[in-house]
Amino acid sequence: MPDNSGTPRDLRATAHPLAPYGWDEHTAEAFAPYGRQGLVPARVVRVDRGRCDAVTADGTVRADTAPVASPDPVRAVCTGDWAALDPGTGGLPAVRALLPRRTAFVRSASSTRSEGQVLAANVDHAVIAVSLAVEPDLGRLERFLALAWESGAQPLVVLTKTDLAPDTAHAVADAEAAAPGVTVLPVSAVTGEGLDVLAAALGGGTAVLLGQSGAGKSTLVNALVGQEVLAVQETRARDGKGRHTTTARELFALPGGGVLIDTPGLRGVGLWDAGDGVGRTFPDIEELARACRFHDCAHAAEPGCAVLAAVDDGTLPERRLESYRKLLRENQYLAARTDARLRSELRRDWKQKQALGRHMMERKRGPRR
Ligand code: GDP
Ligand code: ZN
């Protein structure tokens, strides 16, 4: 891959050993007080009960997470977290603290549980894989977009299997219309089309892969990591979990830069709380709604409804309005089931941290185009 980082080689040679795992100025600053206490930084690559695997400057270690155990499930250690480790003397190293999370993917309340669960932390890019081997389901794409926006990560749509697509250009146009403001990249693991562009797009920061089972996520993980780390579907039951073949880790440093997280939890997403993410997925509809006569217009049958007018004159696909309504309904249902205290606490905490993270990232990389 071309080196366009702009960093001279001799400077990078002295970079922090955890830089390939996403260590940056922001992390360094957050970690500094722990360093003064003799703790060492580590990034969590996998979690089990009471233990985790974490990469440190000296390699991957097994660590005890009991010291940071919390009755609040969103405070539990998860893949992607930055930890302050006590190397210990004999015995296992112990996680003493977690650094504040920049972003987080949270599985919200299900019908049987009322607490959230964090599936991945400190994610910058949410890659949504959509297969072109079949007609893309744009409503499903919109749902994944809402989840991605809600996490604080920047979505990126990857249209996979272009080698099987009858009309890639058409599919790209449809996906772009369903994902305003989001980059859409066509790729094929068979021909290699677009993989270099994708690798470059993931070069800075941490990415997760979302998408329906069979969309080609495991194949993409292997292509990006450059190794068979996951078994693809021919050799596996159709649960979409992407069995790990050679390693149990869920976080990989990519050879071209950047980090990829792939956890079974993220694979198995059902109804997540998309929250504010729904609005960001449909900026076109929210914009139109500002011109509705009634400020609380439900865009159902109200007079002076600008949204319905746009459907009538063909500028807004009816499919998209229906998808918007459906996600809003679902979201309200989930919101009603979710512990209000937890939600507001998460929002306050993470939105603040996230704003700080963005600021730091922009200072480093220059403003987004
Ligand atoms: P996952 O469930 O999203 O992880 O999907 P997999 O990576 O397991 O892929 C599902 C199926 O699609 C497998 O049979 C793959 O070999 C196939 N596949 C993945 N990417 C491509 C591609 O770019 N082109 C073609 N033709 N098949 C692909
Ligand atoms: Zn309206």
Side-chain angles (χ1 to χ4, degrees):
M1 195 182 315
D3 181 358
N4 50 14
S5 66
T7 314
R9 234 159 235 300
D10 52 338
L11 265 185
R12 254 185 310 155
T14 61
H16 195 279
L18 285 173
Y21 288 94
W23 180 265
D24 58 12
E25 297 151 62
H26 175 228
T27 324
E29 203 171 299
F31 182 77
Y34 299 107
R36 288 193 285 274
Q37 296 167 32
L39 302 178
V40 300
R43 193 156 193 201
V44 176
V45 299
R46 177 194 157 85
V47 177
D48 311 305
R49 283 181 184 284
R51 301 263 191 278
C52 69
D53 291 339
V55 281
T56 70
D58 300 319
T60 304
V61 300
R62 193 120 179 93
D64 184 2
T65 57
V68 292
S70 161
D72 185 347
V74 300
R75 309 235 170 256
V77 178
C78 81
T79 301
D81 265 326
W82 282 103
L85 277 192
D86 182 348
T89 47
L92 278 186
V95 176
R96 290 286 165 215
L98 294 180
L99 301 194
R101 293 167 177 152
R102 248 183 7 248
T103 65
F105 273 88
V106 184
R107 192 209 306 273
S108 81
S110 70
S111 50
T112 52
R113 277 192 342 217
S114 66
E115 72 281 8
Q117 182 196 356
V118 185
L119 301 170
N122 301 314
V123 176
D124 304 293
H125 312 282
V127 178
I128 302 165
V130 178
S131 166
L132 294 190
V134 292
E135 181 71 25
D137 180 339
L138 298 176
R140 182 180 288 124
L141 170 58
E142 284 155 346
R143 165 187 299 237
F144 279 117
L145 283 164
L147 303 173
W149 283 123
E150 177 65 7
S151 76
Q154 170 74 36
L156 173 71
V157 176
V158 172
L159 302 180
T160 63
K161 313 191 196 182
T162 57
D163 56 289
L164 300 177
D167 185 351
T168 300
H170 196 152
V172 169
D174 282 352
E176 281 174 344
V182 175
T183 301
V184 176
L185 288 178
V187 306
S188 166
V190 169
T191 66
E193 179 193 0
L195 292 177
D196 52 344
V197 184
L198 176 59
L202 303 185
T206 297
V208 294
L209 274 174
L210 305 174
Q212 204 195 2
S213 175
K217 296 180 299 297
S218 305
T219 308
L220 276 181
V221 172
N222 291 338
L224 290 165
V225 176
Q227 281 178 45
E228 290 286 306
V229 288
L230 297 180
V232 299
Q233 258 185 19
E234 285 106 344
T235 55
R236 163 136 193 99
R238 298 192 149 265
D239 61 5
K241 284 201 178 145
R243 179 169 51 189
H244 291 77
T245 53
T246 57
T247 166
R249 67 169 54 202
E250 298 173 348
L251 182 150
F252 306 94
L254 301 178
V259 174
L260 188 62
I261 292 179
D262 183 66
T263 73
L266 278 166
R267 290 285 182 118
V269 307
L271 292 179
W272 282 10
D273 182 1
D276 302 344
V278 176
R280 296 194 64 178
T281 305
F282 298 92
D284 45 352
I285 296 181
E286 304 247 309
E287 174 67 37
L288 284 166
R290 278 198 273 276
C292 292
R293 184 177 307 160
F294 302 109
H295 73 93
D296 59 349
C297 184
H299 325 307
E302 290 85 347
C305 174
V307 174
L308 291 176
V311 171
D312 283 344
D313 72 17
T315 46
L316 177 69
E318 187 160 14
R319 181 206 64 73
R320 198 159 154 79
L321 176 58
E322 274 160 17
S323 177
Y324 175 72
R325 286 207 184 104
K326 182 159 170 262
L327 287 176
L328 276 185
R329 267 199 311 272
E330 225 169 67
N331 193 49
Q332 277 155 6
Y333 171 78
L334 275 171
R337 284 186 168 275
T338 308
D339 178 356
R341 176 199 62 82
L342 176 76
R343 285 166 57 83
S344 62
E345 197 177 305
L346 280 176
R347 286 259 151 68
R348 185 167 15 100
D349 243 42
W350 287 337
K351 294 268 149 84
Q352 271 171 13
K353 305 275 153 57
Q354 182 187 322
L356 176 68
R358 286 246 166 76
H359 171 73
M360 301 295 293
M361 226 179 293
E362 265 157 30
R363 242 181 30 187
K364 209 173 86 186
R365 289 187 201 153
R368 285 181 206 284
R369 266 164 300 145

